[in-house]
Amino acid sequence: MTISSSLNAGVAGLSVNASRLATIADNIANSGTNGYKRAVADFHSMVIESGSGIYSAGGVRVTTQRLIDQPGALATTNNPTDLAVRGRGFLPVTTGSAVGVEGAGDLPLFLATTGSFRTDAEGYLRTSTGVTLMGWPANADGTIPSFPRDTGAGLEPVQVNVNQFTSEPTTRISMGVNLPGTDTTSGSAGDTRQLSIEYFDNLGTSQSIDVAFTPTVPPSGDPASNTWTMVLRDSAQNGAIVGEYTVEFDDSRTGGGTIQNVTQGVPPVGGGWSSTTGAFTVDVLGGPIEIDIGAQGTGSGLTQLSDNFAPTAISKDGSPVGNLVSVEVDANGFVHANFDVGITRTVYQIPLIDLPNPNGLMAHDNQLYSTSAESGSFFLWDAGDGPTGDVVSYALEESATDVAAELTQLIQTQRAYSSNAKIIQTVDEMLQETTNIIR
């Protein structure tokens, strides 16, 4: 009994050390694999109850696991869509040919801590092995709708070239112009001053609002009127009038040259002027545009000074049609599409997945993981919120393998294996001696 138990213990020792050798070999082989997590083998003794004076070897057994919660170092790259998680959390990804196939249904959800993603022919952000990044799609205005956080049902493969072109319509114009005060004095020519302001319609086409400033010339001998009639016309409506206003300027010592009052024409065309915000609204063909000419007494928009007509500061929002030039991901997981006209649009948000027991995840090829009963239920967090870390672009997570430590364990495992083989050899010799007794 005792000799045979020794033989069994030696065989068990060979088996568990072979398993440890396999984990070491896997770790060393993947020392250059981005996102690889170390596999470890833990030994556990087995005890057989023995009587006094007699001992039976129970042997040893082995359990292996992957230390998924141990991160590797981050290495910088030159690709903006090389992503790594700094801290706790996982990127949502998927695999398979179902991506981009109409009617493919729900895609399998996998977890990864890093990935070198690049756009493929269809615009999906994928790695060279087909792993596809997933996220929540944004609305047209760049906001992210509310999605459930305890399921991946709202996640979609990130596709960034759905619209290679984009534009933004103009919704606000700030108009800073100096009108010559001498034009409102008696005897002046009363010439109309013209100004054309470009804006972009809903299709990104360049249009213009043509503004005409006509001074009110008082009779001979009367003081200056300090009053102008401002008429705005929309080129998209063949020059139709969209606003008509009478602008009165202050000529006092403290507020000279600033707007004193603005009244609408009769009948009124365009929205009313606000003395506090300095803005009114006109309806061009594509919709309303707010025009800021300055608040009462501020001198920040229209002014009437000296004898020069000078547009001083004309600004507007909106842009013409632009081409997609690059894609970037920020620390909060928002995917931004950059266009050559200076527009940046948020197109997706990449959440981070957290679980109670990351080491309970099931490991798959290409450094991917999936949930299991041991890992617990997952929750989708905003990057940098809750227990999760943030997303780092231009970076990849290196392998968590420490080659020096693995080589040290390799030597120890080799010696332990040789020692267990020696036990089997010794038991064999002892059994041989026992057999020789009956000869």
Side-chain angles (χ1 to χ4, degrees):
M1 174 66 76
T2 303
I3 292 179
S4 61
S5 69
S6 301
L7 181 62
N8 292 334
V11 172
L14 292 179
S15 177
V16 298
N17 279 284
S19 295
R20 172 176 280 180
L21 181 63
T23 63
I24 295 172
D26 213 7
N27 293 338
I28 294 177
N30 286 280
S31 60
T33 303
N34 291 321
Y36 177 78
K37 305 297 184 179
R38 290 180 57 243
V40 295
D42 296 320
F43 294 169
H44 312 279
S45 63
M46 299 177 63
V47 178
I48 298 177
E49 186 175 357
S50 305
S52 59
I54 299 176
Y55 183 85
S56 296
V60 64
R61 63 186 179 90
V62 65
T63 58
T64 59
Q65 67 171 332
R66 198 169 293 276
L67 302 181
I68 301 174
D69 61 348
Q70 292 187 0
L74 299 187
T76 58
T77 68
N78 57 4
N79 177 30
T81 50
D82 283 352
L83 305 179
V85 178
R86 179 169 52 193
R88 189 179 176 99
F90 297 85
L91 299 170
V93 295
T94 190
T95 60
S97 59
V99 175
V101 178
E102 185 176 357
D106 292 337
L107 296 171
L109 177 63
F110 292 93
L111 291 72
T113 58
T114 191
S116 181
F117 301 99
R118 284 175 168 80
T119 53
D120 64 5
E122 297 176 335
Y124 291 105
L125 282 179
R126 284 180 172 171
T127 68
S128 58
T129 57
V131 177
T132 306
L133 186 65
M134 298 185 75
W136 291 321
N139 294 323
D141 61 357
T143 60
I144 306 298
S146 178
F147 289 99
R149 299 286 182 143
D150 57 351
T151 175
L155 295 171
E156 297 180 1
V158 175
Q159 189 178 21
V160 295
N161 71 338
V162 175
N163 188 359
Q164 290 275 15
F165 306 96
T166 191
S167 66
E168 290 184 354
T170 299
T171 60
R172 181 177 176 83
I173 293 175
S174 178
M175 185 165 58
V177 179
N178 182 69
L179 301 173
T182 55
D183 283 13
T184 64
T185 60
S186 61
S188 67
D191 295 335
T192 298
R193 308 288 182 163
Q194 302 286 345
L195 176 67
S196 181
I197 302 175
E198 182 187 39
Y199 76 89
F200 303 102
D201 64 16
N202 299 338
L203 301 180
T205 303
S206 175
Q207 305 287 354
S208 65
I209 293 178
D210 299 316
V211 188
F213 299 96
T214 303
T216 299
V217 180
S220 178
D222 286 358
S225 67
N226 299 310
T227 302
W228 295 76
T229 299
M230 180 174 62
V231 178
L232 299 92
R233 301 176 183 271
D234 180 21
S235 67
Q237 301 181 66
N238 297 319
I241 296 176
V242 294
E244 184 173 348
Y245 301 88
T246 299
V247 184
E248 300 176 38
F249 290 93
D250 190 353
D251 62 354
S252 67
R253 176 162 295 184
T254 57
T258 63
I259 295 178
Q260 186 175 38
N261 190 34
V262 178
T263 57
Q264 292 179 273
V266 180
V269 182
W273 173 75
S274 170
S275 61
T276 55
T277 66
F280 59 83
T281 301
V282 297
D283 289 320
V284 298
L285 184 62
I289 294 180
E290 183 182 81
I291 298 180
D292 182 6
I293 61 172
Q296 185 178 36
T298 61
S300 60
L302 293 183
T303 58
Q304 182 196 252
L305 297 168
S306 188
D307 57 355
N308 292 322
F309 174 76
T312 56
I314 307 294
S315 62
K316 60 183 179 294
D317 61 3
S319 69
V321 174
N323 299 309
L324 179 67
V325 292
S326 65
V327 177
E328 294 183 352
V329 183
D330 66 17
N332 298 114
F334 291 101
V335 181
H336 302 290
N338 301 317
F339 296 84
D340 58 4
V341 291
I343 298 176
T344 297
R345 281 192 170 178
T346 300
V347 291
Y348 286 90
Q349 181 185 6
I350 311 301
L352 291 184
I353 303 175
D354 186 51
L355 312 97
N357 178 26
N359 290 335
L361 292 169
M362 293 187 294
H364 301 274
D365 293 343
N366 303 317
Q367 302 79 253
L368 300 184
Y369 309 97
S370 61
T371 58
S372 68
E374 288 76 16
S375 67
S377 301
F378 67 84
F379 190 82
L380 301 176
W381 293 89
D382 293 341
D385 191 15
T388 60
D390 57 357
V391 178
V392 182
S393 60
Y394 292 96
L396 291 173
E397 181 186 0
E398 296 181 334
S399 173
T401 298
D402 183 349
V403 176
E406 297 296 333
L407 291 175
T408 301
Q409 291 190 28
L410 179 62
I411 297 172
Q412 295 173 341
T413 303
Q414 181 183 13
R415 296 305 182 202
Y417 190 92
S418 299
S419 299
N420 281 279
K422 186 64 176 178
I423 291 174
I424 296 174
Q425 180 183 358
T426 301
V427 171
D428 177 62
E429 292 175 354
M430 293 176 65
L431 290 175
Q432 185 65 37
E433 290 295 330
T434 303
T435 303
N436 291 338
I437 293 175
I438 63 175
R439 292 182 181 178

